[in-house]
Amino acid sequence: PVQCGEGLTLCEMKRAAFSPASSWVLHRSPGSALVVPDGRKIITGEPVYSIDRAAFDRDLMDMAERKGAVLKTGHRVISVAARDGKWVLGVRSGGMDSSLSVGILIGADGPISLVGRSLGAYKGRRTVVGVGYRVSHADVEDLYHFFFSSRWPDGYAWIFPRGDSYNIGVATSSRNALSLLREFAGMH
């Protein structure tokens, strides 16, 4: 599945202290176009890199391991608690339950994160669903396009170039996200 819009700005990368790598950069766009509800387009000059998310995640994992992180595969986190300045994780591996104590916890377990839920991150928040297509052509300039409108409550629509294809999608709190995506895709 497509994981997010698969794009990073140069500013975001610099803030995270890494540079674009040929192993995961698919395409470089010269900027973004923000299309506001009245149709005006605001162009930014901040480069955006379309990425291969799986390759990017592998490089990020390798970088973390070089800095001392320990990767645990085949383990599923089933509970999270803070205790004595550490994170205590209930984990399941091979049908057996155990616990791990860690100093730093990164909740990289997806959009409905157990880590986030355990820490109360979703209390009082609306759920926004993102749906998208990967298409071979879109009638737009070589920019990351963000479309803001009341048609997509609590969200936006997008068209992101990836070199040989485009991600086109809608994020919204509406229960009709797929219908809104089909409508948006038909306009472009």
Side-chain angles (χ1 to χ4, degrees):
V2 174
Q3 302 168 16
C4 79
E6 300 178 310
L8 291 172
T9 65
L10 188 56
C11 180
E12 290 169 318
M13 286 188 253
K14 285 179 180 177
R15 193 174 339 168
F18 60 85
S19 301
S22 60
S23 60
W24 45 263
V25 170
L26 299 173
H27 182 74
R28 180 189 182 275
S29 293
S32 298
L34 311 174
V35 183
V36 296
D38 68 6
R40 285 180 299 130
K41 190 183 290 187
I42 301 162
I43 306 292
T44 72
E46 174 70 29
V48 184
Y49 293 83
S50 298
I51 66 170
D52 173 335
R53 179 66 188 269
F56 172 78
D57 286 351
R58 278 190 302 276
D59 276 7
L60 199 57
M61 179 189 64
D62 290 344
M63 187 183 342
E65 286 181 306
R66 285 192 304 273
K67 299 282 186 179
V70 176
L71 174 66
K72 295 271 192 185
T73 60
H75 290 70
R76 179 182 174 92
V77 174
I78 55 176
S79 65
V80 178
R83 192 175 306 132
D84 300 325
K86 297 260 187 192
W87 297 105
V88 179
L89 311 176
V91 295
R92 183 167 292 145
S93 179
M96 302 288 291
D97 291 354
S98 61
S99 65
L100 286 171
S101 178
V102 298
I104 298 173
L105 174 62
I106 299 172
D109 52 336
I112 309 296
S113 164
L114 171 70
V115 172
R117 284 194 321 269
S118 297
L119 301 176
Y122 302 120
K123 285 187 178 19
R125 291 192 178 182
R126 264 185 237 197
T127 300
V128 173
V129 175
V131 291
Y133 296 131
R134 185 155 297 149
V135 298
S136 60
H137 176 76
D139 190 20
V140 295
E141 314 98 312
D142 184 24
L143 299 170
Y144 263 57
H145 284 75
F146 297 87
F147 299 84
F148 299 95
S149 168
S150 59
R151 285 184 289 198
W152 309 293
D154 301 310
Y156 61 97
W158 67 84
I159 301 174
F160 299 159
R162 294 178 49 79
D164 63 350
S165 64
Y166 293 82
N167 282 349
I168 183 169
V170 171
T172 180
S173 60
S174 169
R175 294 186 185 270
N176 301 316
L178 198 51
S179 297
L180 292 171
L181 171 61
R182 289 184 185 121
E183 175 189 322
F184 178 67
M187 295 164 45
H188 299 278

Short mmCIF file of all heavy atoms in Angstrom, two decimals, residues 72-76 92-95:
data_model
loop_
_atom_site.label_atom_id
_atom_site.label_comp_id
_atom_site.label_asym_id
_atom_site.label_seq_id
_atom_site.Cartn_x
_atom_site.Cartn_y
_atom_site.Cartn_z
N LYS A 72 14.15 -5.05 16.65
CA LYS A 72 13.54 -6.32 17.07
C LYS A 72 12.50 -6.70 16.03
O LYS A 72 11.46 -6.05 15.92
CB LYS A 72 12.85 -6.17 18.43
CG LYS A 72 13.77 -5.85 19.57
CD LYS A 72 14.26 -7.12 20.16
CE LYS A 72 14.94 -6.86 21.48
NZ LYS A 72 15.51 -8.08 22.00
N THR A 73 12.78 -7.71 15.25
CA THR A 73 11.80 -8.19 14.27
C THR A 73 11.05 -9.37 14.87
O THR A 73 11.53 -10.03 15.79
CB THR A 73 12.47 -8.61 12.94
OG1 THR A 73 13.41 -9.65 13.22
CG2 THR A 73 13.18 -7.43 12.29
N GLY A 74 9.86 -9.62 14.36
CA GLY A 74 9.07 -10.73 14.85
C GLY A 74 8.46 -10.48 16.22
O GLY A 74 7.99 -11.41 16.87
N HIS A 75 8.49 -9.24 16.68
CA HIS A 75 7.91 -8.87 17.97
C HIS A 75 6.73 -7.92 17.73
O HIS A 75 6.82 -7.03 16.91
CB HIS A 75 8.93 -8.15 18.86
CG HIS A 75 10.03 -9.03 19.35
ND1 HIS A 75 11.00 -9.54 18.52
CD2 HIS A 75 10.31 -9.50 20.59
CE1 HIS A 75 11.83 -10.28 19.24
NE2 HIS A 75 11.43 -10.26 20.49
N ARG A 76 5.67 -8.12 18.46
CA ARG A 76 4.52 -7.24 18.38
C ARG A 76 4.31 -6.59 19.74
O ARG A 76 4.20 -7.29 20.75
CB ARG A 76 3.29 -8.04 17.97
CG ARG A 76 2.04 -7.23 17.87
CD ARG A 76 0.85 -8.15 17.50
NE ARG A 76 -0.37 -7.43 17.54
CZ ARG A 76 -0.92 -6.82 16.50
NH1 ARG A 76 -0.32 -6.86 15.34
NH2 ARG A 76 -2.05 -6.18 16.62
N ARG A 92 4.85 -9.57 22.24
CA ARG A 92 4.50 -10.96 21.91
C ARG A 92 5.41 -11.39 20.76
O ARG A 92 5.53 -10.70 19.76
CB ARG A 92 3.04 -11.04 21.51
CG ARG A 92 2.58 -12.46 21.20
CD ARG A 92 1.08 -12.56 21.12
NE ARG A 92 0.53 -12.32 22.45
CZ ARG A 92 -0.62 -11.68 22.68
NH1 ARG A 92 -1.34 -11.22 21.69
NH2 ARG A 92 -1.05 -11.51 23.92
N SER A 93 6.03 -12.53 20.94
CA SER A 93 6.91 -13.08 19.90
C SER A 93 6.79 -14.60 19.92
O SER A 93 6.96 -15.22 20.98
CB SER A 93 8.35 -12.66 20.15
OG SER A 93 9.19 -13.20 19.17
N GLY A 94 6.47 -15.17 18.79
CA GLY A 94 6.35 -16.63 18.72
C GLY A 94 5.32 -17.19 19.67
O GLY A 94 5.50 -18.28 20.21
N GLY A 95 4.24 -16.45 19.93
CA GLY A 95 3.19 -16.89 20.83
C GLY A 95 3.51 -16.70 22.30
O GLY A 95 2.69 -17.03 23.15
#
